[in-house]
Amino acid sequence: MCLLFILKLSDIWIADETVIDIWGTHYWFWDIVDSETRFLIASHLSKTRTETDATKLFTMAKLRSKFRPKVIITDKLGQYNKAFNYVFYLNVAEDNIDHLKSEGFESEINSNLIERFHSTVKQRTKVMRDLKEKKSARIVMDGYMTHYNFFKEHEGGITPAQAGGIGEGIANWGDLIGLALDILKQTPKIRTEWEKGFKVE
């Protein structure tokens, strides 16, 4: 979404993947979240757990935000290594971004935030068991992720979007769509970048 180009994110992003069940089929849900605002930057569904899937996640996050973190934390899945290097270090090292691997729940370097988020996601996907197509599931998931970012309040009674400085005045879906359209009209460059990010999906 174009709004991410004006969102203020923190220096640490956390990426992870978890398996969910849709109509008896296992899918991998990949996502990357900002550690401070809890804003879900990017996500996608896949039937595989490959380097290509990890690359897609990092690419989506990179295209959707003008900010770059100092650290990206993942689990120890090997596919993240090459994907990270391909997306952020193929041509030139970008702002010295470090790739750290979670050492477990008790460690200072952990993915606890996103693990808790996955528990919520799995509860939500229970309602998708009657959706027979991945496309339908993706639509439902996109709607839930937007709800999570812009309408679900967390600690302090604010949403992830508000924590990132863009959620004020957004009380419903109409407000959100109106704001997004205004930004697209006013900033051609953002529109171009947003369209690039949309094509990734």
Side-chain angles (χ1 to χ4, degrees):
M1 180 177 288
C2 62
L3 293 176
L4 269 68
F5 280 90
I6 58 174
L7 182 73
K8 296 178 181 178
L9 300 174
S10 72
D11 291 334
I12 302 175
W13 296 358
I14 306 172
D16 200 9
E17 78 294 335
T18 189
V19 66
I20 60 176
D21 182 79
I22 301 174
W23 196 250
T25 300
H26 289 320
Y27 285 92
W28 288 99
F29 176 71
W30 302 76
D31 54 337
I32 186 165
V33 175
D34 179 58
S35 65
E36 186 172 312
T37 64
R38 299 188 181 187
F39 198 96
L40 178 68
I41 304 167
S43 66
H44 75 90
L45 286 173
S46 69
K47 285 188 176 181
T48 55
R49 195 186 189 195
T50 66
E51 180 186 327
T52 299
D53 299 313
T55 298
K56 179 176 180 179
L57 179 67
F58 287 145
T59 301
M60 291 172 69
K62 181 179 178 180
L63 289 173
R64 289 179 172 188
S65 176
K66 70 177 183 179
F67 291 94
R68 294 290 178 265
K70 293 182 179 179
V71 173
I72 294 180
I73 299 174
T74 69
D75 59 25
K76 295 181 179 180
L77 184 70
Q79 285 83 333
Y80 283 120
N81 296 330
K82 290 184 178 179
F84 175 84
N85 290 331
Y86 177 81
V87 175
F88 295 106
Y89 282 81
L90 180 62
N91 297 313
V92 61
E94 295 194 19
D95 302 323
N96 296 316
I97 302 174
D98 290 325
H99 176 204
L100 302 182
K101 299 177 182 179
S102 172
E103 297 294 337
F105 286 98
E106 301 299 326
S107 171
E108 184 176 345
I109 301 173
N110 64 72
S111 57
N112 297 354
L113 173 64
I114 206 166
E115 295 289 352
R116 291 194 296 269
F117 172 66
H118 284 168
S119 296
T120 302
V121 169
K122 289 184 177 184
Q123 287 294 319
R124 180 62 180 178
T125 55
K126 287 181 179 180
V127 305
M128 298 197 297
R129 289 176 179 170
D130 290 334
L131 299 178
K132 298 182 180 181
E133 297 181 2
K134 178 183 175 183
K135 182 178 180 180
S136 299
R138 177 71 267 184
I139 292 172
V140 173
M141 288 296 288
D142 282 346
Y144 174 69
M145 295 308 131
T146 302
H147 169 80
Y148 168 85
N149 279 334
F150 290 91
F151 304 113
K152 183 176 176 58
E153 295 181 349
H154 294 280
E155 294 179 7
I158 61 176
T159 67
Q162 289 171 335
I166 63 172
E168 294 300 326
I170 298 178
N172 54 54
W173 284 81
D175 293 338
L176 179 59
I177 293 170
L179 177 59
L181 290 175
D182 286 343
I183 293 173
L184 286 175
K185 291 177 182 177
Q186 296 171 13
T187 316
K189 182 178 180 181
I190 289 180
R191 181 184 180 88
T192 299
E193 294 298 323
W194 175 73
E195 289 173 343
K196 288 181 182 178
F198 183 78
K199 290 177 182 178
V200 173
E201 299 184 80

